Amino acid sequence: MASNRWSCCAWWCSEEYSTVKLLFFMVPLILLSAFASVKSPTVCRWGFVAKCSVSSSTSSTPLLSSQTLHQHNEIEVLNVSKLWFNSALMNESDEPHQRQMQKRKCSILDRTEAVLAQARAAIREARNGNQTQDSDYVPTGPMYWNAKAFHRSYLEMEKQFKVFVYEEGDPPVFHNGPFKSIYSMEGNFIHAIELNRFRTRDPEKAHVFFLPLSVERESRNFVPINKTVTDYVNVIAAKYPYWNRSLGADHFMLACYHWGPETSFSLPYLHKNSIRVLCNGNTSEGFEGAKDVSFPKINLQSGLVGGASARKRSILAFYAGGVDGPIRAVIVENWEKKEEDIEVHKYLPEGVSYYGMMRKSKFCLCPSGYEVEAIYTGCVPVIISDHYVPPFSDVFNWKAFSVQLSVKDIPNLKDILISISPTQYIRMQMRVTQIRRHFQLHSLPKRFDVFHMILHSVWLRRLNFTLQDHLSL
């Protein structure tokens, strides 16, 4: 029996059957290649989620395939400490890609990806390295998942990141947006990115491509919005190669109006592949922390920033804002006029200042958002939601400077808040004032402000995957 086994092995290893062996290994690869040729690129996000997003393609020849950076079976992670820092996985994924690039002529896309690979390496190295010095601001403290990694990532963004803004489209629907009300961040970002140094006029130098659409400008008539978005993407896809190259994976849209998420469903790839920068960061409405960005609603008011010190705030908790939405109704039902030190109002009494109340309150109730007003006034946010993703959660550890509650916790609100010791509260309130710079909006953007934080979140999503151009193979 043993001699037969060795005879088989000798037969298999002999030169006489080398051709047979080659066919044995090649046939499965040929079949696999044929199957892959009718599939679109697989966009694998690393650090946030494990699974890859595979989209069907209308072309029999793939325009792009993505290089897998991280693939396992964990659930999504929403913090910067786990975003890019599995060294083994990074080394295993980046090195073969670099060796493959050396064997063929490098395309412009290859050179772009090489720059991003260097940025990833620098960020990974900074995680446990020395703190980088900065004349303007050095992030530090438990408000950040990893302050050193964030700082290095921010500096790499400043050094490398380029955004191409499509010039097609006319105002007010394109290249414009609101500058007042809670949707003002939409207009402010569109205005700032078009005049900012991060913008490049050369699409070959871009890392991401911005679709400068303002959903709010067409919000009075929902029916045409989907057609407008579809027509616009068709125009830029016909004129430029970049949408089809990635099936929208390196493109992003921004919307603060609540129809923003719905607008993205007008095109499957816009929803599934593209980076959606949304005020409505709600996972129950299809928000995906792996590729989407949650950014804050900011109602611009003069003289809003500031408030009493932690020890001089006499009101335990404050809320006023109607009952629009199920969470607000529960807050009002449980706490309006129920406790002397909990100021909950469906509508504020005449002559009472909304921001004045926030400035003298310890905690401000924020149902599914509106936490920025609390941060501006030095009030510790109490974020109440079951599905809301706070802004910049990939960088910030919100539990260090806010209270996060489920809707079912609302009846026990006071017990939860008074269980926070005075020392713990003072620390949280100090962290709120420290983190405030990242939520401040300026007519001319300043480093580390809210404009740059939104841009940094897009930068992180672009670091989360690589693109490989088949045309250069």
Side-chain angles (χ1 to χ4, degrees):
M1 190 74 175
S3 63
N4 289 339
R5 184 168 67 244
W6 287 111
S7 295
C8 289
C9 200
W11 175 83
W12 179 255
C13 297
S14 67
E15 293 182 5
E16 180 181 355
Y17 291 95
S18 61
T19 303
V20 176
K21 288 193 296 179
L22 182 60
L23 288 173
F24 181 84
F25 285 106
M26 288 298 294
V27 169
L29 293 176
I30 294 170
L31 292 173
L32 183 60
S33 299
F35 175 75
S37 70
V38 296
K39 287 290 186 180
S40 72
T42 301
V43 180
C44 298
R45 312 285 173 173
W46 51 284
F48 281 116
V49 300
K51 59 187 179 182
C52 302
S53 164
V54 183
S55 308
S56 298
S57 176
T58 56
S59 171
S60 60
T61 302
L63 296 173
L64 163 153
S65 70
S66 83
Q67 182 81 12
T68 305
L69 291 180
H70 188 176
Q71 189 172 357
H72 51 80
N73 293 317
E74 295 178 359
I75 304 175
E76 72 177 39
V77 179
L78 292 175
N79 66 67
V80 77
S81 64
K82 298 181 181 179
L83 182 57
W84 37 58
F85 303 123
N86 189 322
S87 316
L89 289 170
M90 283 290 296
N91 292 335
E92 290 171 3
S93 60
D94 283 350
E95 289 177 7
H97 180 56
Q98 293 170 359
R99 288 198 299 269
Q100 185 182 19
M101 287 171 57
Q102 293 171 0
K103 294 179 182 178
R104 58 179 172 82
K105 183 180 179 180
C106 287
S107 68
I108 293 174
L109 180 59
D110 289 330
R111 290 193 287 271
T112 299
E113 291 299 334
V115 170
L116 294 175
Q118 291 174 353
R120 293 186 194 103
I123 296 164
R124 185 175 64 246
E125 184 179 354
R127 183 189 182 192
N128 297 312
N130 295 327
Q131 179 69 61
T132 305
Q133 296 304 307
D134 195 309
S135 58
D136 287 336
Y137 177 68
V138 177
T140 184
M143 307 87 69
Y144 305 95
W145 290 113
N146 190 308
K148 295 176 184 177
F150 163 58
H151 196 192
R152 173 48 56 189
S153 176
Y154 186 91
L155 295 176
E156 291 294 322
M157 176 192 75
E158 287 186 317
K159 182 170 65 174
Q160 307 288 0
F161 198 36
K162 292 299 177 184
V163 179
F164 181 77
V165 181
Y166 287 109
E167 295 184 358
E168 288 69 23
D170 297 319
V173 178
F174 298 94
H175 305 284
N176 201 346
F179 285 88
K180 296 181 180 180
S181 81
I182 59 174
Y183 309 120
S184 59
M185 274 308 304
E186 190 174 298
N188 276 277
F189 182 88
I190 293 172
H191 175 74
I193 194 62
E194 295 201 336
L195 301 176
N196 202 269
R197 67 183 182 87
F198 289 97
R199 182 181 185 181
T200 177
R201 302 283 179 172
D202 183 355
E204 297 290 357
K205 295 180 180 179
H207 301 98
V208 295
F209 300 81
F210 180 48
L211 306 172
L213 167 72
S214 175
V215 175
E216 196 272 344
R217 289 303 193 192
E218 246 190 50
S219 62
R220 292 180 180 84
N221 193 348
F222 180 73
V223 177
I225 292 180
N226 287 350
K227 188 177 186 308
T228 299
V229 173
T230 301
D231 290 346
Y232 188 77
V233 172
N234 285 338
V235 168
I236 59 111
K239 186 174 181 179
Y240 305 90
Y242 309 107
W243 176 274
N244 288 329
R245 183 181 69 178
S246 67
L247 296 183
D250 54 357
H251 288 58
F252 75 99
M253 61 168 285
L254 179 141
C256 204
Y257 198 71
H258 57 267
W259 281 350
E262 290 295 327
T263 303
S264 68
F265 283 93
S266 58
L267 282 168
Y269 294 140
L270 182 59
H271 169 254
K272 190 173 185 179
N273 292 345
S274 298
I275 302 166
R276 302 180 306 157
V277 185
L278 304 171
C279 280
N280 305 60
N282 195 312
T283 57
S284 67
E285 298 175 354
F287 182 91
E288 298 180 27
K291 69 174 192 66
D292 296 333
V293 172
S294 176
F295 79 105
K297 291 180 179 179
I298 299 178
N299 189 7
L300 297 178
Q301 299 284 335
S302 60
L304 180 58
V305 176
S309 66
R311 298 180 187 278
K312 294 182 179 179
R313 292 176 177 257
S314 57
I315 300 170
L316 178 62
F318 169 71
Y319 168 79
V323 291
D324 180 23
I327 300 178
R328 299 182 184 197
V330 176
I331 293 173
V332 171
E333 180 184 352
N334 278 269
W335 292 105
E336 186 173 32
K337 299 179 180 179
K338 298 291 177 66
E339 296 283 344
E340 187 175 338
D341 55 353
I342 295 183
E343 292 278 358
V344 169
H345 305 270
K346 183 177 179 180
Y347 301 108
L348 274 177
E350 187 176 352
V352 177
S353 167
Y354 177 75
Y355 295 113
M357 293 292 288
M358 297 184 89
R359 287 190 178 96
K360 57 184 180 182
S361 297
K362 291 184 171 76
F363 299 96
C364 291
L365 310 186
C366 308
S368 292
Y370 299 95
E371 62 285 315
V372 175
E373 293 175 331
I375 291 172
Y376 273 22
T377 57
C379 187
V380 175
V382 180
I383 299 174
I384 305 173
S385 178
D386 293 325
H387 306 287
Y388 177 67
V389 180
F392 318 132
S393 292
D394 38 20
V395 170
F396 296 148
N397 174 17
W398 278 84
K399 291 184 178 180
F401 59 94
S402 71
V403 180
Q404 294 182 296
L405 301 181
S406 173
V407 177
K408 64 179 177 58
D409 297 322
I410 292 175
N412 302 316
L413 175 66
K414 183 169 183 177
D415 291 339
I416 293 170
L417 296 182
I418 63 176
S419 69
I420 298 172
S421 69
T423 301
Q424 185 181 359
Y425 163 71
I426 290 172
R427 287 175 182 165
M428 294 175 74
Q429 201 272 342
M430 289 178 61
R431 292 167 187 167
V432 166
T433 59
Q434 286 178 269
I435 213 76
R436 182 189 291 154
R437 71 167 56 237
H438 298 303
F439 293 90
Q440 287 186 277
L441 181 65
H442 303 97
S443 56
L444 295 176
K446 297 181 180 180
R447 298 182 71 215
F448 297 100
D449 70 359
V450 69
F451 168 79
H452 287 93
M453 291 302 296
I454 294 171
L455 206 60
H456 180 261
S457 291
V458 176
W459 160 252
L460 290 187
R461 271 61 179 183
R462 184 58 183 90
L463 287 175
N464 276 357
F465 63 91
T466 65
L467 304 177
Q468 182 176 329
D469 193 346
H470 270 262
L471 298 178
S472 62
L473 290 174

